[in-house]
Amino acid sequence: MTIRAISERLAVSWEAARQWTHRPKTGFPAAIGYERNERLWLWADVREWAINQGRWDPLVDLPTRRVLTAAARRIKVDVITMPASDWQADGLCKEYPDVDFFPERVKDAQPAREVCDRCLVQKECKAFALADAATRGVWGGFSFPEERDAARETQ
């Protein structure tokens, strides 16, 4: 996963994730390789580091982390907290922690879309994402921001 993916999964700003990965004193795990001139890390290593550092709570569900990520990007802070909306508690995505809802490419979003297709709050999720210009990832079966314009035209 890239720095951007780390920031989205941990609900921190891109700059905070970049600083962790570039400062040896943070104890951040070593990169496993490169793709398109970007360093890559294993999610399992990053997750373990984040839990040990108190920077990520595995008990916080994925919809809540998505809200935190979007908010962190908008206001450019390291870590924030905010309550989840009522519909987010019913999101099927929280039952699939291994599915990547923040894929690097739209073509890699199919597993997340399949989860969304079975979700009871898909409509609310999609509406929430369309209302927020900073949204990234798969929400309500759509990949944002790539498909945002197409979705707005059909509403």
Side-chain angles (χ1 to χ4, degrees):
M1 71 183 344
T2 64
I3 292 174
R4 183 173 63 105
I6 291 168
S7 73
E8 290 174 344
R9 287 259 180 116
L10 298 180
V12 298
S13 67
W14 178 87
E15 182 60 27
R18 189 192 68 75
Q19 288 178 6
W20 293 338
T21 62
H22 285 78
R23 291 186 182 161
K25 292 181 181 179
T26 64
F28 200 81
I32 60 164
Y34 288 86
E35 182 178 296
R36 292 188 220 125
N37 296 326
E38 283 191 88
R39 291 189 300 171
L40 299 174
W41 290 265
L42 289 175
W43 170 238
D45 295 342
V46 172
R47 181 180 182 272
E48 182 179 344
W49 174 85
I51 291 169
N52 291 338
Q53 295 290 315
R55 298 201 177 266
W56 189 68
D57 183 353
L59 300 178
V60 175
D61 61 35
L62 184 59
T64 302
R65 285 199 299 274
R66 287 177 165 180
V67 171
L68 294 173
T69 300
R73 190 177 298 110
R74 277 197 306 275
I75 62 176
K76 297 182 178 155
V77 296
D78 186 3
V79 179
I80 62 169
T81 58
M82 114 183 346
S85 300
D86 291 339
W87 64 266
Q88 289 178 324
D90 296 326
L92 187 60
C93 54
K94 69 182 182 181
E95 296 177 25
Y96 292 86
D98 295 333
V99 173
D100 186 3
F101 286 87
F102 300 99
E104 294 293 320
R105 296 178 300 260
V106 175
K107 67 180 183 177
D108 296 333
Q110 191 57 36
R113 286 186 180 130
E114 290 172 3
V115 173
C116 292
D117 287 343
R118 299 188 320 267
C119 185
L120 298 175
V121 294
Q122 182 180 18
K123 184 176 180 181
E124 293 88 343
C125 184
K126 178 181 169 188
F128 175 83
L130 285 170
D132 185 354
T135 302
R136 292 229 174 282
V138 178
W139 291 75
F142 281 83
S143 297
F144 291 90
E146 292 84 4
E147 297 179 14
R148 183 188 327 272
D149 294 335
R152 284 190 174 144
E153 290 175 10
T154 60
Q155 282 191 338

